[in-house]
Amino acid sequence: MKFIVIGITDNSQPWFPPEVMEVICSARVCSGGKRHHELVAPLLPDGVRWIDITVPLEKVFEQYKTANSESSDCPSIVVFASGDPLFFGFAVTLQREFPDAEIRVFSAFNSLQLLAHRLVMPYHDMRIVSLTGRPWQEFDRAIIEQAPKIGILTDREHTPAAIARRLLEYGHVAYRMYVGERLGNSREERVTTLTLDEAAEREFCVPNCVILEANHSLTDRKGWGRASAFGLPDSSFAILDGREKMITKMPIRLLTLQALDLPRRHVLWDIGACTGSVSIEARLLFPHLHIVAFEIRPECETIIRENCRRHGAPGIELHIGDFLEYGDGSSSPDAVFIGGHGGRLKDIMAKALTVLAPDGVIVMNSVVAPKVLRDSHKLWDQACRELGLRQEPPLHVQLDDHHPITILKCRR
């Protein structure tokens, strides 16, 4: 198959160089979104077939294949796409769906380039995040890593207002926001500079895009500089019923994260999260991770969410309820921490093993408790033996004169 992908802006009177106009005038099959069709319709030749790009895309791809098979000389399908088709654009989708296709691209400026141009803002150092049909993960990573300049492609859910509210909720307030609406449309284009509070209350025209820039007058306030912290103070966490022992202490947290080998992991499950301290510490130190926290006690939900806000740690996926009754909704982990098991350690480990990546690890901290309590270390040894898991040498730690802690680790 052959495709020619032409990038366009939102200009109501689009202009193309002669080479591109020759392609358009000789086209037999064209495709694009409905908005693209409205913009280029006056330029299309008579009798051209138009294929709307709408979801589900599978139906669009089938129409492309049919159009290709119906022609003996295999003419190119001319596709109109917004901005630069290779910048989170439709040309990338075509490459993925038709890896053997011949693709030629004529690009326009993408929306973030146009917004930077309007602001006369150098953008070679801009961190790019697409929220168009995507979750918050990469945006959350960018703000946790405190990127000083972030360009964001939005959609109808991830609006400028929603972005501002997320920044405010998690305390990442040291940004000013620039919003470009209907860029390229000479009659309706608008560029606005806003505080986060102002943006959170506004409605914006579609399409739009956002640039966040560090506001240096605010960078010495709360919400900037926290990413450099290595080890969060225990006193900074809200705890369960005032019980200080119901939190993994900071030195143990850091040793636990080391045992999980998180720099090269992708998905961490924190089972028995309680206050969320392990998940939050991992989120801030390793923001590339997808972290899923499980906790059986309903009262912990408010505590975990509050601790996430306090520490500026968005993006932790939280599930309240019995882990053993949890379905298969999350990504498969390659690191599992068991912070609590309620005497059902073997069952929890067995369930985790059903989705654990081949090179994944399971880590648990065992406290040498009074004899009236069950010894977690013995339960661990028994579970590893019966499940055929290979243990690594345990790490024994004692922080004070009370119960020593053993960090346990196993793999398949």
Side-chain angles (χ1 to χ4, degrees):
M1 297 186 69
K2 299 178 183 178
F3 295 95
I4 298 177
V5 189
I6 300 173
I8 63 174
T9 68
D10 205 42
N11 194 320
S12 58
Q13 295 181 320
W15 177 90
F16 299 102
E19 182 182 12
V20 177
M21 282 303 304
E22 184 178 343
V23 169
I24 295 173
C25 291
S26 61
R28 300 184 195 175
V29 180
C30 291
S31 184
K34 292 183 178 180
R35 182 170 61 89
H36 301 139
H37 193 197
E38 293 173 359
L39 294 173
V40 302
L43 305 177
L44 299 179
D46 293 336
V48 70
R49 177 183 176 187
W50 181 270
I51 299 174
D52 274 325
I53 298 177
T54 57
V55 292
L57 289 178
E58 289 75 14
K59 293 185 178 180
V60 179
F61 300 147
E62 286 301 320
Q63 292 183 73
Y64 290 168
K65 293 174 184 177
T66 300
N68 180 72
S69 63
E70 289 175 350
S71 177
S72 59
D73 56 353
C74 296
S76 298
I77 298 174
V78 177
V79 180
F80 294 92
S82 297
D84 182 350
L86 291 171
F87 182 78
F88 298 98
F90 199 68
V92 181
T93 303
L94 291 175
Q95 286 179 324
R96 183 173 61 249
E97 184 66 24
F98 304 101
D100 298 324
E102 178 183 325
I103 300 176
R104 188 179 181 189
V105 174
F106 294 96
S107 295
F109 287 120
N110 66 61
S111 59
L112 289 172
Q113 287 176 310
L114 289 174
L115 180 53
H117 294 166
R118 302 298 187 264
L119 297 168
V120 195
M121 175 188 289
Y123 58 89
H124 59 274
D125 57 345
M126 186 161 63
R127 177 89 164 261
I128 305 298
V129 173
S130 176
L131 291 176
T132 306
R134 292 173 168 85
W136 289 103
Q137 171 69 17
E138 288 304 313
F139 173 78
D140 292 342
R141 179 177 180 178
I143 62 173
I144 290 172
E145 293 176 348
Q146 297 182 345
K149 189 184 295 179
I150 309 172
I152 307 164
L153 301 175
T154 64
D155 63 16
R156 294 182 183 273
E157 177 183 352
H158 303 91
T159 64
I163 292 167
R165 288 193 292 268
R166 193 170 184 86
L167 289 164
L168 291 168
E169 179 181 4
Y170 290 97
H172 294 273
V173 299
Y175 286 103
R176 66 168 59 89
M177 178 180 284
Y178 305 97
V179 181
E181 303 167 78
R182 295 181 176 170
L183 294 171
N185 187 319
S186 58
R187 291 178 296 181
E188 301 182 30
E189 175 179 295
R190 182 169 61 181
V191 175
T192 314
T193 302
L194 301 157
T195 67
L196 297 181
D197 289 304
E198 290 169 340
E201 301 300 325
R202 289 277 294 270
E203 292 187 5
F204 299 89
C205 296
V206 177
N208 59 62
C209 64
V210 168
I211 293 178
L212 296 174
E213 184 179 40
N215 185 345
H216 295 294
S217 66
L218 298 174
T219 53
D220 60 341
R221 301 185 187 180
K222 180 182 177 182
W224 197 268
R226 58 160 55 105
S228 61
F230 185 77
L232 299 170
D234 296 335
S235 60
S236 66
F237 287 91
I239 55 179
L240 178 63
D241 298 330
R243 297 155 66 186
E244 295 182 0
K245 293 183 180 180
M246 296 297 289
I247 182 174
T248 303
K249 302 301 183 184
M250 185 260 284
I252 303 302
R253 284 200 303 273
L254 297 180
L255 288 171
T256 299
L257 301 187
Q258 184 277 331
L260 289 162
D261 193 18
L262 294 184
R264 68 185 192 92
R265 302 295 175 186
H266 302 286
V267 181
L268 167 65
W269 279 12
D270 179 6
I271 303 172
C274 192
T275 63
S277 63
V278 171
S279 289
I280 292 167
E281 193 88 63
R283 186 75 178 121
L284 296 181
L285 290 175
F286 308 101
H288 70 281
L289 288 172
H290 177 196
I291 300 177
V292 187
F294 301 88
E295 174 54 47
I296 196 169
R297 289 166 289 202
E299 61 269 30
C300 285
E301 179 175 5
T302 300
I303 294 171
I304 294 172
R305 296 195 188 282
E306 169 62 21
N307 284 329
C308 287
R309 286 190 290 268
R310 283 189 186 187
H311 296 92
I316 294 173
E317 183 181 333
L318 178 60
H319 295 278
I320 299 296
D322 190 341
F323 172 74
L324 294 178
E325 297 177 2
Y326 177 72
D328 299 325
S330 294
S331 302
S332 296
D334 49 7
V336 173
F337 172 64
I338 301 176
H341 55 80
R344 302 182 296 171
L345 181 58
K346 178 185 172 183
D347 292 337
I348 289 173
M349 293 175 70
K351 182 176 178 65
L353 281 173
T354 63
V355 291
L356 186 69
D359 63 340
V361 296
I362 301 176
V363 170
M364 186 184 79
N365 299 333
S366 172
V367 181
V368 179
K371 293 182 179 180
V372 296
L373 299 178
R374 303 186 68 177
D375 188 344
S376 291
H377 199 158
K378 290 182 180 179
L379 292 175
W380 171 272
D381 287 340
Q382 179 182 354
C384 287
R385 184 170 57 252
E386 295 180 4
L387 295 172
L389 298 171
R390 173 168 54 90
Q391 294 196 55
E392 296 194 1
L395 176 63
H396 304 286
V397 184
Q398 186 156 350
L399 299 180
D400 50 35
D401 294 335
H402 301 288
H403 309 304
I405 295 170
T406 302
I407 298 177
L408 304 166
K409 179 177 180 178
C410 71
R411 61 178 75 237
R412 294 183 189 277

